[in-house]
Amino acid sequence: MKDEFDWIKSITPQHSFQKELVAGIGDDAALWSVNEHMDQVVCVDTMVEGVHFTRDTLSSYQVGFKALAVNISDVAAMGGIPQFYLVSIAISPDWNEEELKEIYEGMNELAKTHKMDLIGGDTVSTKGPLVLTVTVIGKVEKGRKLLRSYAKPDDIVFLTGTTGESAAGLDLLLLKTRHAVFTDNEKKWIHQHQMPIPHIEQGRILANSGYRISLNDVSDGIASELNEIAESSNVTIHIQRDKLPVSSSFAELQENGRLTHQLYGGEDYVLVGTASIEDFVKLTEAFQQHSLSLYEIGKVGEAGKTAVYLHKKNEEPELLAKKGFNHFRER
Amino acid sequence: MKDEFDWIKSITPQHSFQKELVAGIGDDAALWSVNEHMDQVVCVDTMVEGVHFTRDTLSSYQVGFKALAVNISDVAAMGGIPQFYLVSIAISPDWNEEELKEIYEGMNELAKTHKMDLIGGDTVSTKGPLVLTVTVIGKVEKGRKLLRSYAKPDDIVFLTGTTGESAAGLDLLLLKTRHAVFTDNEKKWIHQHQMPIPHIEQGRILANSGYRISLNDVSDGIASELNEIAESSNVTIHIQRDKLPVSSSFAELQENGRLTHQLYGGEDYVLVGTASIEDFVKLTEAFQQHSLSLYEIGKVGEAGKTAVYLHKKNEEPELLAKKGFNHFRER
């Protein structure tokens, strides 16, 4: 999840006292050097009841699963391997012990997949809504070249999965609650919202390639994430409507309806980025070998200017604003 | 701050998937190995408005200062050097931008002292009280021998500072608010509650000694912390009332009044621990060389039994319960 209070970024100090520090504030994860082979990576994300979820959108188990998933996704965007996590939870009186256990079980389920150890935390009470903060620590080989700021003109813009399902799922959940009856396609959207799978394996292939790659995980929608890459790299980015991958579960939808979700819907936690044309060809092979998807959706344009355009056949390119996914606020 | 929900500890899984893991759940900080010389240490603590502070007990600046201080204190208890911190804040509508800036300024002030970099975080909104979660990452030399479980029979029990002032300060703040007029002594207590100084330098001397030392930071009161050491080490601990160091600001108080604060008052963030008699003599010299206090307050008794006793002249020893400092709950 991205900061909703941008001004805080401007006031937060960045000393760089520590010479081990490789990358500081700005990305969703920070890196520091720990030995000659590896950097350590850390990220923290908070989920608040009533802001990021309600009891109608997520079960207790899913609250835990998702809180860890969004953090692991930040590690994926650095090409890292998640190792440890810490859980700080502020508990309101209306959550019972059984529900709290389910939150931890949801985290544990995903942690097992990645062989991550729960190594600490804090448990406090609050009179307000439940607040769940997860810190994930991982590692990544030195010399990986994955940063938002690495995009260059003529790079291919890629996606590691389809987007939009999570937002479509959230729409349904807010309309009907998770206890309603849904079609098979609707169940897929809802599942994507409730239990997103972070793209660690994809991030690892990208990191291990050694190629210069710009990368973000899609927490706020690809329009917003690509704008971040464009800003950090100071380039324009052009994506093609007809190249955007469409989930099979969206097949019955009108294009305009699903396009908004695909561009602006957040919380799919696939990876979006850019690589040079030659490197992209080799990445495509590597992804195929692992039976993983890699979609070409556009190209980086010129340097020295920051913008993201959506191109449609026989139409003027459309400027894509940075507007992202604001959880329940806009709904 | 200690867990208020002990049952969560029993349900939290501990996989130990990661071979780098040196110490897991149980202590307030976790360690893992990053290179042949150093271990990394991490801890997380959460402060909730209305539970750990109110606008009447702490200024915004002090909220920030203290939130970082309690985390740094956990690193001190491991003998570590704090390096980085991450801040996750859930903001309620009744905190304005100026106040939030002051929270970050308070953290920054203490961070500068320790040359710590702010390397990330998350900023979200909540409809409930403000929730501030700080993660601190530090490092410590391999081979340091500081753990709660290291106490042995005949060890000297020591304190690195006086206790009780913070609790006395909180009593006053809850009674009169921080805007009242106070005596000079009262101001000292209040300051100790609002802006505790973590004992990093003391922890470093203890770690660098290479001696076997059991150690805790005093967040919940020495009765509680010594009971933790007694439990982890499976020993009895005997402390002498007449040896407990008394802050000069307590000189005018009745002994019984201050004794409760000294034993059960939390949040002083000095260090309490044990070392062998010979090592304690050398530690005393080292502390003197650094103009730092080190008080002998008792001895470790027998192994195989867990209890903490307070000895008073001409009286039966008193069993000290694990009851600790429960912030605002008992008041």
Side-chain angles (χ1 to χ4, degrees):
Chain A
M1 275 149 250
K2 293 293 147 53
D3 284 354
E4 295 168 19
F5 299 83
D6 273 351
W7 58 266
I8 280 195
K9 278 198 180 162
S10 67
I11 63 149
T12 47
Q14 187 175 6
H15 310 300
S16 293
F17 282 129
Q18 299 293 336
K19 64 182 190 304
E20 294 91 344
L21 204 59
V22 181
I25 305 168
D27 286 306
D28 293 323
L31 286 178
W32 70 97
S33 174
V34 291
N35 62 44
E36 57 184 315
H37 306 295
M38 305 297 286
D39 290 334
Q40 205 86 57
V41 48
V42 65
C43 45
V44 61
D45 269 301
T46 295
M47 277 178 37
V48 179
E49 184 184 0
V51 178
H52 304 94
F53 69 91
T54 70
R55 285 165 186 269
D56 284 341
T57 65
L58 299 187
S59 70
S60 311
Y61 183 92
Q62 290 162 345
V63 168
F65 188 99
K66 188 163 181 174
L68 185 58
V70 301
N71 270 286
I72 294 178
S73 182
D74 285 332
V75 174
M78 304 295 272
I81 304 167
Q83 297 175 278
F84 311 113
Y85 67 112
L86 299 95
V87 179
S88 191
I89 187 167
I91 300 173
S92 68
D94 54 333
W95 285 72
N96 66 39
E97 189 170 323
E98 192 51 45
E99 292 167 326
L100 296 169
K101 282 184 185 174
E102 286 164 6
I103 291 177
Y104 281 85
E105 282 162 13
M107 289 189 280
N108 185 31
E109 179 69 26
L110 184 59
K112 276 193 296 184
T113 315
H114 296 286
K115 299 199 187 315
M116 295 171 69
D117 286 317
L118 172 57
I119 60 169
D122 197 14
T123 312
V124 297
S125 58
T126 175
K127 284 155 197 149
L130 186 131
V131 178
L132 181 61
T133 299
V134 177
T135 305
V136 165
I137 293 161
K139 61 183 178 181
V140 61
E141 295 80 4
K142 268 196 204 321
R144 89 234 151 304
K145 292 175 181 160
L146 310 180
L147 276 185
R148 266 180 213 161
S149 55
Y150 279 2
K152 288 195 172 166
D154 300 324
D155 274 3
I156 301 286
V157 181
F158 64 78
L159 258 181
T160 64
T162 61
T163 59
E165 285 183 302
S166 175
L170 178 56
D171 277 354
L172 280 177
L173 288 166
L174 291 173
L175 205 63
K176 300 182 171 185
T177 85
R178 65 190 168 89
H179 307 290
V181 177
F182 298 105
T183 68
D184 284 350
N185 281 340
E186 289 172 338
K187 282 178 189 164
K188 278 186 199 164
W189 309 344
I190 287 168
H191 191 260
Q192 183 65 18
H193 176 76
Q194 294 174 325
M195 298 178 70
I197 300 296
H199 280 202
I200 285 290
E201 194 180 352
Q202 290 85 338
R204 295 295 298 150
I205 296 174
L206 297 170
N208 284 331
S209 72
Y211 305 149
R212 169 192 55 78
I213 291 169
S214 71
L215 200 64
N216 247 357
D217 66 321
V218 180
S219 58
D220 286 359
I222 56 173
S224 173
E225 309 299 347
L226 286 172
N227 265 290
E228 283 200 349
I229 289 175
E231 281 171 19
S232 300
S233 303
N234 195 23
V235 294
T236 60
I237 289 177
H238 302 265
I239 61 172
Q240 308 288 336
R241 182 182 59 175
D242 296 344
K243 288 191 170 182
L244 286 178
V246 182
S247 164
S248 59
S249 68
F250 276 172
E252 296 162 21
L253 294 191
Q254 297 289 325
E255 185 179 347
N256 282 342
R258 64 171 162 78
L259 190 61
T260 303
H261 285 321
Q262 285 175 276
L263 294 171
Y264 299 106
E267 304 201 326
D268 285 297
Y269 299 106
V270 301
L271 301 177
V272 62
T274 78
S276 76
I277 300 172
E278 311 84 70
D279 292 345
F280 180 77
V281 172
K282 286 176 270 180
L283 287 173
T284 302
E285 273 176 40
F287 271 67
Q288 278 173 350
Q289 278 170 13
H290 289 80
S291 305
L292 294 168
S293 303
L294 188 68
Y295 303 103
E296 175 182 345
I297 62 168
K299 282 191 88 169
V300 176
E302 54 186 320
K305 196 183 149 195
T306 291
V308 179
Y309 297 97
L310 177 70
H311 294 260
K312 309 178 187 182
K313 256 181 217 151
N314 308 321
E315 289 182 39
E316 281 292 299
E318 177 189 347
L319 189 67
L320 293 185
K322 205 184 169 175
K323 75 172 177 181
F325 179 64
N326 277 312
H327 308 292
F328 301 158
R329 263 203 291 174
E330 294 173 352
R331 293 157 197 264
Chain B
M1 274 151 249
K2 293 292 149 52
D3 285 354
E4 295 170 19
F5 299 84
D6 273 349
W7 58 265
I8 280 195
K9 279 196 179 164
S10 67
I11 63 150
T12 47
Q14 186 176 8
H15 310 299
S16 293
F17 283 129
Q18 299 292 337
K19 63 182 190 305
E20 294 91 344
L21 204 59
V22 181
I25 306 166
D27 285 307
D28 293 323
L31 286 177
W32 70 95
S33 174
V34 292
N35 62 43
E36 55 185 315
H37 306 296
M38 304 298 285
D39 291 333
Q40 205 85 57
V41 49
V42 65
C43 46
V44 61
D45 270 300
T46 295
M47 275 177 39
V48 179
E49 183 185 2
V51 177
H52 304 93
F53 67 92
T54 70
R55 286 164 185 270
D56 284 341
T57 64
L58 299 186
S59 71
S60 311
Y61 182 92
Q62 290 162 345
V63 168
F65 187 99
K66 187 163 181 174
L68 185 58
V70 301
N71 271 286
I72 294 177
S73 182
D74 285 332
V75 175
M78 304 295 272
I81 304 167
Q83 297 175 279
F84 311 113
Y85 67 113
L86 299 95
V87 179
S88 191
I89 187 167
I91 301 172
S92 68
D94 54 333
W95 285 72
N96 67 38
E97 190 169 324
E98 191 52 44
E99 292 167 324
L100 296 169
K101 281 183 186 175
E102 286 164 5
I103 291 177
Y104 280 85
E105 283 163 12
M107 289 190 279
N108 185 32
E109 178 69 26
L110 184 59
K112 275 194 296 185
T113 314
H114 296 286
K115 299 198 186 316
M116 293 171 70
D117 287 317
L118 172 57
I119 61 170
D122 197 16
T123 312
V124 297
S125 58
T126 176
K127 284 156 196 147
L130 186 129
V131 178
L132 181 60
T133 299
V134 177
T135 305
V136 164
I137 293 161
K139 61 182 177 182
V140 62
E141 295 82 3
K142 268 195 203 323
R144 92 249 152 288
K145 291 177 184 158
L146 309 180
L147 276 183
R148 265 181 213 159
S149 54
Y150 278 3
K152 287 195 173 167
D154 299 324
D155 274 3
I156 300 287
V157 181
F158 63 78
L159 260 181
T160 65
T162 61
T163 58
E165 285 183 303
S166 175
L170 177 56
D171 276 353
L172 281 176
L173 288 166
L174 290 174
L175 204 64
K176 299 184 172 184
T177 87
R178 63 189 170 89
H179 307 289
V181 177
F182 297 104
T183 68
D184 283 350
N185 280 339
E186 289 172 337
K187 282 179 190 162
K188 278 185 198 166
W189 308 344
I190 287 168
H191 190 262
Q192 182 67 16
H193 176 77
Q194 292 173 328
M195 298 178 69
I197 300 297
H199 281 202
I200 285 291
E201 193 179 353
Q202 290 85 338
R204 294 295 299 150
I205 296 174
L206 296 171
N208 284 331
S209 72
Y211 303 150
R212 170 190 56 77
I213 292 170
S214 71
L215 200 64
N216 246 357
D217 66 321
V218 181
S219 58
D220 286 358
I222 55 173
S224 174
E225 309 298 348
L226 286 174
N227 266 289
E228 284 199 348
I229 289 176
E231 282 171 20
S232 301
S233 303
N234 195 24
V235 294
T236 59
I237 289 178
H238 302 265
I239 60 173
Q240 307 288 336
R241 183 181 62 176
D242 295 345
K243 288 191 169 180
L244 287 178
V246 182
S247 163
S248 60
S249 68
F250 276 172
E252 295 162 20
L253 293 193
Q254 297 289 325
E255 185 180 347
N256 281 342
R258 63 171 162 79
L259 190 62
T260 303
H261 286 322
Q262 285 174 276
L263 293 171
Y264 299 107
E267 304 202 326
D268 283 299
Y269 299 107
V270 300
L271 301 176
V272 64
T274 77
S276 75
I277 300 172
E278 311 83 71
D279 292 345
F280 180 77
V281 172
K282 287 177 268 180
L283 288 172
T284 302
E285 274 176 38
F287 272 66
Q288 279 175 351
Q289 278 170 15
H290 289 80
S291 304
L292 294 169
S293 303
L294 187 68
Y295 304 103
E296 175 182 344
I297 63 168
K299 282 191 88 169
V300 176
E302 53 186 322
K305 195 184 152 195
T306 291
V308 179
Y309 296 96
L310 178 69
H311 294 261
K312 309 178 187 180
K313 256 181 217 153
N314 309 321
E315 289 182 38
E316 281 292 297
E318 178 189 345
L319 189 67
L320 293 185
K322 204 183 171 178
K323 74 173 177 180
F325 180 65
N326 277 311
H327 307 292
F328 300 158
R329 265 203 288 176
E330 294 173 354
R331 291 156 200 264

